Amino acid sequence: SSTSYQSTNSSTTSFIPNNFLVNPIELGEIKNEAESKPRVKPTVPKKPGKDFQWMVQYNALKAYYTKSGHSNVPMHFIQNKRLGHWVNNQRQLYRKYKAQLPSSMTAKRIQLLEDLHFAWVLGKESF
């Protein structure tokens, strides 16, 4: 036997055999294939990390060094105020690193800065 259904979009009638009909209560027991697979979080690009930001500032310092011949960026450097503050912060982080206090300064960063003849301590002889 079969049951007839009329499509709401057209005037055609479809016949579905009764053995193809599913009781709506039984549908709850049928799992969607997508639900049975483990969920995978979508890959979302990470925001640039601190290493990336550090390298951005380092490259700005490198450009300053190339142009000026030294890496003693003034604290209130008008062309790039952020760079002046960053350079000052590197000196502070270096002091913490040397005192074995928590610091984001690393041996690799120290070497990169020293490649630019970075002055860790400023004094009258630095200028």
Side-chain angles (χ1 to χ4, degrees), residues 95-108:
R95 284 193 294 273
K96 288 181 179 181
Y97 176 85
K98 286 297 190 181
Q100 297 182 349
L101 296 171
S103 171
S104 60
M105 185 56 67
T106 64
K108 181 179 178 182

Side-chain angles (χ1 to χ4, degrees), residues 61-72 116-118:
L61 177 62
K62 196 172 184 180
Y64 177 90
Y65 175 81
T66 301
K67 187 175 181 180
S68 67
H70 63 84
S71 58
N72 296 330
L116 301 179
H117 301 112
F118 193 84

Side-chain angles (χ1 to χ4, degrees), residues 84-99:
H85 288 280
W86 181 84
V87 165
N88 185 57
N89 190 46
Q90 298 314 297
R91 291 185 179 107
Q92 293 173 13
L93 292 170
Y94 178 77
R95 284 193 294 273
K96 288 181 179 181
Y97 176 85
K98 286 297 190 181

Side-chain angles (χ1 to χ4, degrees), residues 9-69:
N9 305 24
S10 69
S11 59
T12 59
T13 302
S14 301
F15 291 94
I16 301 174
N18 284 338
N19 61 342
F20 280 82
L21 295 176
V22 177
N23 182 341
I25 295 170
E26 294 173 1
L27 284 175
E29 297 174 12
I30 300 172
K31 290 187 177 181
N32 183 338
E33 185 178 317
E35 291 175 3
S36 63
K37 293 182 181 177
R39 291 185 177 220
V40 178
K41 291 184 179 180
T43 304
V44 178
K46 293 182 179 180
K47 290 182 180 179
K50 292 191 183 251
D51 286 335
F52 177 84
Q53 294 299 327
W54 192 92
M55 287 305 296
V56 167
Q57 291 301 317
Y58 173 78
N59 285 325
L61 177 62
K62 196 172 184 180
Y64 177 90
Y65 175 81
T66 301
K67 187 175 181 180
S68 67

